[in-house]
Amino acid sequence: MNDLETAIHNTSEIGRLRRVLLHRPGQELENLMPEYMERLLFDDIPYLQEAQREHDAFADCLRQSGAEVVYLVDLVAASLTDDAVKQELVRQFLDEAEVREQRAREMLSELFLSLPNREMVSQMMAGVRKSQLRETDQARLKDYLAATAGDYPFVIDPMPNLYFTRDPFATIGRGVSIHKMHTKTRNRETLFAKFIFKYHPEYKSVPRWYDRGETTSLEGGDILILSPEVLAVGISQRTQEDSIDALADTVLTDSPTFKKILAFNIPKTRSFMHLDTVFTMVDRDKFTVHPNILNDITVYVMELDENRKMKIRQEEGRLEDILKEHLGLDKVTLLRCGEGDEIDAAREQWNDGSNTLAVAPGEVVVYARNYVTNRLLEEHGIKIHTIPSAELSRGRGGPRCMSMPLWREDL
Ligand SMILES: NC(=O)NCCC[C@H](N)C(=O)O
């Protein structure tokens, strides 16, 4: 069924992309400091204006290939359907930012609630410097600053990873999986998803496969929709086995199409943080892969038996053969990042050479910088759209990480 009226429709990695969620990097990047970068999951400080230019080129590329681009800030703003909802967001946001000091809560609530919805959401994303509170009531500020010892310059931390819209929630079929993130830093991002899927007029009735209140972590970069029947989920640095069990329970039981989950156990390292940093689908029978994982990957198959009880078994053999069997294909080609060269593969994977976003079968968006891998894709008949990435890549994510499909055509 291809009716763009439904809020969410996502039954593959490669069906023609018709609507996609992005976040244009904003002031949150201007609040990155070298001292706190590691905790905020960045390896360097991007130059915001250039990062925005690159991101706009990404958005234009998606529009030119036929997708409507929807921005996170607009969806969150449109979810704040009345003052009570807006106040609820502010309250929960302050709780989750761990602002406990009463005077700070009052000053920040006043600051946020004085802004129109869109500006308020952008301000929440950017974080708040202590120096910004100078505009407010001086006596309260003095008391607050005296009560919070130390030189930490923020009253609320920035959320610089928001432009990786792939991770805090994921669309699967007609439903959504809202995540409990591995790090405290990124867990704050999923509050926006909570409000979108609770209050936004178009998104509030979407079925829920996983929720942010779960106790184990699951991140969207680990979820790949290989076909309307088969999901791949990474057991990774960011996604725990128990989360996959819980996701499998709901998706395999309640979604009309999904029958199987292939759980890929991958190495737990920063550069391989999610499955989509080492493995993406580019065509019906072609995948990019980082060669280093091929000897170090175990695949488990999860299915419900005739009594609707979960069965899990380990698969043996080569990844190509496992994919062939479960996707019912005659042939599968794995395209090795950096053409399999040890040095090029490591360099290009670090800058997301294996992190492609398909806009249609055999047609993908990639970073221009990964020219060795890109050449290989073209040699295998894949149409590539290249985008610039000098600044965007400093956050360690590529075109797939920076996008969440809301609507794809069925294959
Ligand atoms: N799916 C992805 O691999 N997303 C990239 C997320 C990068 C971000 N700096 C993070 O560490 O979470």
Side-chain angles (χ1 to χ4, degrees):
M1 141 126 187
N2 282 330
D3 164 16
L4 260 175
E5 293 303 307
T6 54
I8 282 179
H9 188 86
N10 189 14
T11 58
S12 77
E13 282 297 300
I14 57 171
R16 165 77 54 198
L17 187 64
R18 298 293 301 280
R19 190 183 294 132
V20 62
L21 180 74
L22 304 187
H23 171 67
R24 185 175 195 257
Q27 289 301 313
E28 61 276 6
L29 294 192
E30 300 279 61
N31 277 335
L32 275 167
M33 290 172 70
E35 238 176 307
Y36 309 116
M37 234 156 38
E38 196 178 328
R39 176 166 52 83
L40 295 179
L41 306 170
F42 266 68
D43 295 317
D44 204 348
I45 298 180
Y47 170 33
L48 178 61
Q49 275 188 28
E50 195 50 41
Q52 289 179 330
R53 267 195 289 274
E54 292 172 0
H55 197 271
D56 291 343
F58 178 43
D60 282 344
C61 171
L62 296 175
R63 287 188 194 101
Q64 275 160 24
S65 66
E68 176 194 355
V69 172
V70 174
Y71 286 100
L72 180 66
V73 68
D74 294 320
L75 279 197
V76 183
S79 308
L80 306 179
T81 43
D82 61 36
D83 285 348
V85 177
K86 191 167 176 177
Q87 283 162 17
E88 185 188 338
L89 175 62
V90 171
R91 221 173 19 251
Q92 288 190 29
F93 181 79
L94 294 178
D95 289 346
E96 296 190 15
E98 299 181 351
V99 182
R100 299 204 181 86
E101 214 281 334
Q102 196 47 37
R103 284 157 295 211
R105 286 185 76 94
E106 285 168 15
M107 286 184 283
L108 288 163
S109 300
E110 284 163 23
L111 168 72
F112 288 136
L113 293 171
S114 70
L115 298 170
N117 288 358
R118 204 175 179 286
E119 285 72 9
M120 180 186 89
V121 175
S122 295
Q123 180 66 71
M124 288 174 154
M125 294 172 165
V128 181
R129 299 179 182 195
K130 281 184 179 161
S131 58
Q132 277 174 269
L133 296 179
R134 300 249 146 77
E135 314 287 304
T136 64
D137 177 331
Q138 289 306 308
R140 266 191 316 185
L141 178 62
K142 213 164 131 245
D143 287 347
Y144 160 64
L145 291 176
T148 52
D151 300 330
Y152 193 63
F154 296 100
V155 58
I156 296 197
D157 274 347
M159 302 165 93
N161 294 288
L162 278 167
Y163 74 89
F164 300 115
T165 51
R166 180 64 60 167
D167 302 316
F169 69 86
T171 58
I172 303 174
R174 291 286 182 90
V176 66
S177 161
I178 301 184
H179 298 143
K180 162 155 175 65
M181 307 294 277
H182 172 68
T183 57
K184 219 178 192 180
T185 291
R186 293 211 69 183
N187 212 33
R188 294 173 56 214
E189 295 175 24
T190 69
L191 185 61
F192 294 132
K194 170 178 168 176
F195 275 71
I196 294 170
F197 292 101
K198 188 167 174 195
Y199 294 114
H200 191 292
E202 284 161 40
Y203 293 94
K204 66 182 178 191
S205 318
V206 163
R208 190 77 53 93
W209 308 131
Y210 199 82
D211 216 344
R212 65 192 304 263
E214 294 283 347
T215 52
T216 56
S217 66
L218 174 65
E219 299 198 359
D222 279 309
I223 302 176
L224 272 70
I225 305 182
L226 299 183
S227 79
E229 292 84 36
V230 185
L231 287 183
V233 186
I235 307 168
S236 68
Q237 186 196 56
R238 303 290 181 85
T239 292
Q240 294 169 267
E241 289 169 41
D242 287 353
S243 323
I244 306 179
D245 290 344
L247 180 73
D249 259 342
T250 53
V251 171
L252 300 185
T253 308
D254 299 333
S255 86
T257 65
F258 294 101
K259 303 275 177 285
K260 227 180 254 185
I261 290 187
L262 304 182
F264 285 52
N265 196 0
I266 62 170
K268 319 292 175 266
T269 65
R270 165 124 177 97
S271 60
F272 301 172
M273 70 189 102
H274 298 116
L275 180 59
D276 72 357
T277 61
V278 289
F279 175 77
T280 53
M281 187 164 184
V282 296
D283 203 350
R284 293 166 202 271
D285 54 0
K286 296 189 184 80
F287 300 81
T288 61
V289 67
H290 182 39
N292 288 17
I293 63 151
L294 288 173
N295 295 328
D296 207 1
I297 193 168
T298 317
V299 179
Y300 300 91
V301 183
M302 308 172 73
E303 290 174 284
L304 296 178
D305 67 14
E306 52 289 354
N307 302 316
R308 310 206 65 70
K309 221 175 144 279
M310 190 70 67
K311 277 187 334 200
I312 304 179
R313 66 169 199 283
Q314 186 178 332
E315 275 293 5
E316 304 293 339
R318 300 184 319 151
L319 184 57
E320 287 94 320
D321 297 326
I322 297 174
L323 291 167
K324 247 164 57 182
E325 181 196 332
H326 293 284
L327 299 179
L329 296 167
D330 298 332
K331 184 168 160 267
V332 160
T333 307
L334 298 183
L335 302 168
R336 286 164 171 72
C337 187
E339 280 182 341
D341 177 87
E342 182 189 3
I343 296 172
D344 295 330
R347 285 169 50 80
E348 295 205 343
Q349 189 275 334
W350 179 246
N351 283 312
D352 291 284
S354 292
N355 189 263
T356 62
L357 171 69
V359 290
E363 192 179 336
V364 296
V365 183
V366 290
Y367 280 163
R369 66 190 308 149
N370 297 315
Y371 58 90
V372 179
T373 310
N374 295 346
R375 191 171 58 213
L376 183 70
L377 290 171
E378 284 188 301
E379 280 166 12
H380 282 80
I382 305 297
K383 179 170 174 188
I384 62 169
H385 301 275
T386 56
I387 57 164
S389 62
E391 299 303 313
L392 292 174
S393 61
R394 295 183 200 267
R396 292 277 77 72
R400 187 178 193 275
C401 304
M402 294 192 297
S403 55
M404 176 43 66
L406 298 174
W407 222 98
R408 279 189 190 271
E409 288 179 11
D410 287 336
L411 284 176

